[in-house]
Amino acid sequence: MDANLETKSAKASTQIKTESKKKRNWKKGLTYLAFVGPALLFFLVIQIVPFLMGIYYSFTSWNGVSSAVEWVGFENYKRIFTNDPIFFQSFMFTTKFMLAAVLISNLIGFGLALILNAALKTKNILRTVFFLPNVIGGLLLGFIWQFIFVRGFASVGEATGWSFFQLPWLGDETTAFWGIVIVFAWQISGYMMVIYIAALQGVDQSLLEAAKIDGASTFQTITKIIVPLILPAFTICFFLTISMAFKIFDLNLSLTGGGPFNSTQSVAINIYQEAFQNNRYGLGTAKSIIFFVIVAIVTTLQVTATKKKEVEA
C-alpha cells in the first residue's frame, strides 16, 4: 500500500515538474517573440517580401504602372546578356570604382587610425572631425562637392595657375571617375578609421614594446605585428567598403548623374533609369537580381579569403 502511494506521489510530482517546465518554456518563448517578433516581421515585410516580388517581376514585362503583368520567362535576362552594352559599361565602371575606392578608403582610414591612436592631446576632436563627413547624406555631399569641383577648384586654379585645379573635374571621363573616388573616400574613411581604432586599442602594448626593444622599424611593427593582430577589422572594413562602393547611387547621381555620356554611370543608376524612367520595371528588376548575385559572390569570396588569412595569422 505504501509502495503504491509513493509511486502515485512520484508520478504526480513528475507531472507537476513537467507542467511547470512547459509553462517556463512558454513564458521564455513569448519573451523571445516579444523582442524578436517585431524586428522579424519588419524584416520580412521590408526585405524578404519585396525581394521575392522582385524575382517574380524579373520574369515579366511589367512597366511598373499598369495592372497587366505579362510573363516573359527568361527574355529579360537574355536581353541583358545579348543586347544591353550600357549595362555592362556601367558594371565595368562600378567594378573599377569599387577597386579604387576600397583601396584608397582603407589606406586612409587605417593611416588615420594609426595617427590618432597615439597619445595626441587633440585626438578626440580630430576623430570627430574625420568622422563627420560620414554623417552627411550622399545627395547633399554630392552637391557640396559638385560646387567645390566646378566653382571652388576653378577659382583656386585662376588664382594660383596650378593645372591640377584647372582640370574639368566633372566634365571628363577620367577626372570625373577620380572625382567620385575622392568624394567617396573622403566620406567613408572616417567610418573605417573608427573601426580600425577600436581594433588597435585591443592590441597588447607589451608586444609593441618588445618589438621596439628588438630593433624593429615602424614599418616592420605595422606589417608584422599590428596588421596580423587586427585582421578581423580588415575583414569588416573590406566587406563594408566593397558593398557600399558597389551600391553607390546618391553620390554618383548628385555629382555627375552618370555623365558625361554614361561614362560614370553606376549599376544602381542604370537600374533606376531602366525601371523608373524607361518604365521597364521587369527588365530593371532582372538587372537588380543579376547585380545582387554578383555582389553576394564577391563579398562572400572576400570574407572567406580574409577569414582564412585570420586563421593563418
Side-chain angles (χ1 to χ4, degrees):
M1 189 72 177
D2 291 339
N4 289 334
L5 287 173
E6 288 179 1
T7 303
K8 289 180 180 179
S9 177
K11 286 181 179 180
S13 177
T14 304
Q15 187 175 0
I16 291 169
K17 288 180 180 178
T18 304
E19 290 177 357
S20 177
K21 188 176 181 181
K22 286 181 179 179
K23 286 181 180 179
R24 284 198 302 271
N25 290 336
W26 269 103
K27 287 181 179 179
K28 190 181 291 185
L30 290 173
T31 303
Y32 289 155
L33 185 63
F35 282 101
V36 179
L40 182 62
L41 178 63
F42 280 111
F43 179 74
L44 288 171
V45 173
I46 297 172
Q47 296 286 341
I48 303 300
V49 172
F51 177 73
L52 296 176
M53 290 177 66
I55 294 175
Y56 166 72
Y57 284 126
S58 70
F59 294 102
T60 69
S61 61
W62 188 42
N63 62 8
V65 180
S66 68
S67 57
V69 180
E70 182 184 356
W71 182 269
V72 295
F74 288 94
E75 287 301 316
N76 289 328
Y77 293 95
K78 289 179 183 177
R79 180 175 177 177
I80 292 168
F81 285 107
T82 58
N83 192 28
D84 198 340
I86 296 177
F87 177 73
F88 283 96
Q89 180 184 338
S90 65
F91 181 77
M92 291 305 296
F93 164 78
T94 307
T95 303
K96 188 169 67 170
F97 167 79
M98 181 272 296
L99 293 172
V102 168
L103 179 63
I104 294 171
S105 299
N106 281 281
L107 281 175
I108 295 173
F110 183 58
L112 290 174
L114 287 173
I115 294 169
L116 298 182
N117 194 50
L120 298 175
K121 291 182 179 179
T122 58
K123 63 180 181 181
N124 291 329
I125 297 172
L126 291 173
R127 288 175 187 177
T128 305
V129 170
F130 289 131
F131 183 77
L132 272 178
N134 188 69
V135 180
I136 305 172
L139 278 173
L140 180 60
L141 197 65
F143 288 127
I144 292 170
W145 272 91
Q146 186 185 65
F147 176 82
I148 292 171
F149 282 130
V150 176
R151 301 289 182 86
F153 277 22
S155 299
V156 174
E158 289 177 6
T160 60
W162 294 349
S163 59
F164 176 83
F165 294 103
Q166 295 175 341
L167 293 171
W169 275 98
L170 301 180
D172 179 73
E173 179 181 349
T174 304
T175 53
F177 169 80
W178 287 110
I180 299 171
V181 171
I182 289 169
V183 179
F184 180 86
W186 185 78
Q187 180 188 27
I188 211 68
S189 295
Y191 187 24
M192 299 303 106
M193 174 198 70
V194 171
I195 297 173
Y196 285 127
I197 286 175
L200 287 170
Q201 289 178 345
V203 175
D204 189 353
Q205 294 299 312
S206 62
L207 294 174
L208 304 181
E209 291 170 3
K212 189 175 181 181
I213 292 170
D214 290 339
S217 65
T218 303
F219 180 76
Q220 288 174 327
T221 303
I222 292 172
T223 55
K224 302 297 183 182
I225 298 175
I226 293 177
V227 171
L229 288 174
I230 64 168
L231 276 177
F234 281 97
T235 301
I236 296 169
C237 290
F238 283 149
F239 174 79
L240 290 174
T241 47
I242 287 172
S243 59
M244 285 188 283
F246 261 128
K247 296 184 294 184
I248 184 173
F249 175 76
D250 47 1
L251 200 62
N252 190 194
L253 184 67
S254 56
L255 272 174
T256 64
F261 306 108
N262 296 324
S263 61
T264 62
Q265 185 186 81
S266 67
V267 176
I269 289 181
N270 181 267
I271 292 170
Y272 167 77
Q273 290 179 346
E274 196 71 74
F276 299 106
Q277 292 185 357
N278 300 336
N279 290 329
R280 291 194 287 258
Y281 195 88
L283 186 61
T285 51
K287 289 182 177 182
S288 68
I289 296 301
I290 293 171
F291 187 49
F292 166 78
V293 172
I294 292 171
V295 173
I297 291 171
V298 171
T299 51
T300 302
L301 290 174
Q302 174 263 312
V303 171
T304 304
T306 49
K307 283 287 185 184
K308 187 178 178 181
K309 291 289 184 183
E310 290 177 28
V311 174
E312 290 175 357

